[in-house]
Amino acid sequence: MASGWMIAAAGWMFAWFNSKTQEERKARIERVNEQLRDFYGPLLACVTATKSAYDAMVKQHSPNGSAAAFQERCIHDPTGPEAKAYRVWMDKVLQPLNEKAASIIAEHIDLLDAQHVVPELLQVGFAQKQQDASILYASDVTQVTSPGAHAYASCR
């Protein structure tokens, strides 16, 4: 009789631990799905679109198709066609993508799995926005860099 109760208690404990393990596994899977759906997926899409748009801008407006030549032209002639094209692309294409990436980071930073948050990830919204705005409206185009480069580097 006592052995029957022990078997029942052992069965109950096994069922309880098994149920608890399955619930924890489901919670981990749901967390990963939420991270991919709400944070990493949209952030990767924005960063990839920004990089592709920047590459297309350089290819279209650089004298020889290279970023170095494009940057050199913008630096030496801030009122030239390359610098004007850069400001238009920045205003209409690149900056909205940067702002979207910064918004995704700000809204879903809780989904980041890390012991510590990489400072560049937190700065991507503020610093990139500030840098791009100063380049967009300044007549001195001496700091032409790849928009979204900070976000791209942080996502690798």
Side-chain angles (χ1 to χ4, degrees), residues 29-47 99-113 121 155:
I29 290 171
E30 179 55 35
R31 167 97 173 146
V32 169
N33 285 336
E34 186 180 10
Q35 287 173 315
L36 292 173
R37 179 183 59 245
D38 296 338
F39 186 69
Y40 292 109
L43 184 59
L44 180 61
C46 282
V47 170
E99 290 173 0
K100 180 65 177 169
S103 172
I104 291 167
I105 292 168
E107 292 171 11
H108 301 288
I109 195 72
D110 62 307
L111 295 176
L112 183 65
D113 269 345
L121 194 58
C155 290

Side-chain angles (χ1 to χ4, degrees), residues 9-79:
W12 178 83
M13 288 182 66
F14 174 77
W16 182 77
F17 279 117
N18 187 39
S19 173
K20 183 178 176 185
T21 302
Q22 286 180 351
E23 288 175 17
E24 290 171 353
R25 183 172 181 261
K26 285 180 185 177
R28 285 192 306 267
I29 290 171
E30 179 55 35
R31 167 97 173 146
V32 169
N33 285 336
E34 186 180 10
Q35 287 173 315
L36 292 173
R37 179 183 59 245
D38 296 338
F39 186 69
Y40 292 109
L43 184 59
L44 180 61
C46 282
V47 170
T48 302
T50 300
K51 176 83 171 93
S52 296
Y54 181 78
D55 291 344
M57 175 190 67
V58 168
K59 185 177 179 183
Q60 187 176 14
H61 296 286
S62 177
N64 65 1
S66 73
F70 180 72
Q71 292 172 2
E72 187 69 25
R73 285 279 179 100
C74 289
I75 291 169
H76 289 318
D77 188 7
T79 60

